[in-house]
Amino acid sequence: TLTTLEPGAGKFGKKLREILLHYDDEVSPISEFFLFLADRAQHIAYTIKPAIEANKIVLCDRHTDSTLAYQGYARGNDLERLEKLNAIAVDGTIPDLSFVFDVDTEVAATRVGDEKDRMESTGLEFHKKVRMGYLELAKKFPNRIRVIDANKSIEEVFEQVKLVLEEIL
């Protein structure tokens, strides 16, 4: 099993993650989107595809759905265009299963803590749009995206995930 994340896998991804999460000036929504796509294309080519070819299970923290939720639903970029560009970046590699850990926006804000990165600092209204985006995507792709009630305890969330995995496997 390979565990990985976006943005930030590998040397290239770590540099992009630093810019995406800690750059202290304005970033246009399209620039932000292209940085995420650059990270994703590199991640797919040099981390995810080789792992799949080696018959590994890949667990990735964030992927294309995150881009649609954040840059599409929350930032207001055209979803159809984002989907097309995402398709180029992933080069045919899409998740078999995605989990949306759904938590009330106010609860999530308390869990983040005091040290917030650029994305976490965007405000409650932005994060409400992100959450709505994820839930819309789950409706659009019910066979691939499963919603987990993350307002519950860690143990209860884990049990929900296990039930989904047992159902699929």
Side-chain angles (χ1 to χ4, degrees), residues 104-114 116 124:
D104 294 328
T105 310
E106 292 79 6
V107 173
T110 64
R111 291 180 180 176
V112 170
D114 294 332
K116 295 179 178 159
L124 215 52

Coordinates of all heavy atoms in Angstrom, one line a residue, residues 104-114 116 124:
D104 N -19.6 19.4 9.6 CA -20.1 20.7 9.6 C -19.0 21.7 9.6 O -17.9 21.5 10.2 CB -21.0 21.0 10.9 CG -22.2 20.1 10.9 OD1 -22.8 19.8 9.8 OD2 -22.6 19.8 12.0
T105 N -19.2 22.8 8.8 CA -18.1 23.7 8.6 C -17.6 24.3 9.9 O -16.4 24.5 10.1 CB -18.6 24.8 7.6 OG1 -19.2 24.2 6.5 CG2 -17.5 25.7 7.2
E106 N -18.5 24.6 10.8 CA -18.1 25.2 12.1 C -17.3 24.2 12.9 O -16.4 24.6 13.6 CB -19.4 25.7 12.9 CG -20.1 26.8 12.2 CD -21.0 26.5 11.0 OE1 -21.2 25.3 10.8 OE2 -21.5 27.4 10.4
V107 N -17.7 23.0 12.9 CA -16.9 21.9 13.6 C -15.5 21.8 13.0 O -14.5 21.7 13.7 CB -17.7 20.6 13.6 CG1 -16.8 19.5 14.2 CG2 -19.0 20.7 14.3
A108 N -15.5 21.8 11.7 CA -14.2 21.7 11.0 C -13.2 22.8 11.4 O -12.0 22.6 11.6 CB -14.3 21.7 9.5
A109 N -13.8 24.0 11.5 CA -13.0 25.2 11.9 C -12.4 25.1 13.3 O -11.2 25.5 13.5 CB -13.8 26.5 11.8
T110 N -13.1 24.4 14.2 CA -12.5 24.2 15.5 C -11.5 23.2 15.5 O -10.6 23.2 16.4 CB -13.6 23.9 16.5 OG1 -14.2 22.6 16.2 CG2 -14.7 24.9 16.6
R111 N -11.6 22.2 14.6 CA -10.6 21.1 14.6 C -9.3 21.5 13.9 O -8.2 20.9 14.2 CB -11.2 19.9 13.8 CG -12.3 19.2 14.6 CD -12.8 18.1 13.8 NE -13.9 17.4 14.4 CZ -14.6 16.4 13.9 NH1 -14.3 15.9 12.7 NH2 -15.6 15.8 14.6
V112 N -9.3 22.5 13.1 CA -8.1 23.0 12.4 C -7.0 23.5 13.4 O -5.8 23.3 13.2 CB -8.4 24.0 11.3 CG1 -7.2 24.6 10.7 CG2 -9.2 23.4 10.2
G113 N -7.5 24.2 14.4 CA -6.5 24.8 15.3 C -6.1 26.2 14.9 O -6.7 26.8 14.0
D114 N -5.1 26.7 15.6 CA -4.7 28.1 15.4 C -3.8 28.4 14.2 O -3.8 29.4 13.6 CB -4.0 28.7 16.6 CG -5.0 28.8 17.8 OD1 -6.2 28.9 17.6 OD2 -4.6 28.7 19.0
K116 N -3.1 28.1 10.7 CA -3.9 27.9 9.5 C -3.0 28.2 8.3 O -2.3 29.3 8.3 CB -5.2 28.7 9.5 CG -6.1 28.3 10.6 CD -7.4 29.1 10.5 CE -8.3 28.6 11.6 NZ -9.3 29.5 12.0
L124 N -15.1 31.0 6.6 CA -16.2 30.1 6.8 C -17.1 30.0 5.5 O -17.5 28.9 5.1 CB -17.1 30.5 8.0 CG -17.7 29.4 8.8 CD1 -16.7 28.4 9.3 CD2 -18.4 30.0 10.0

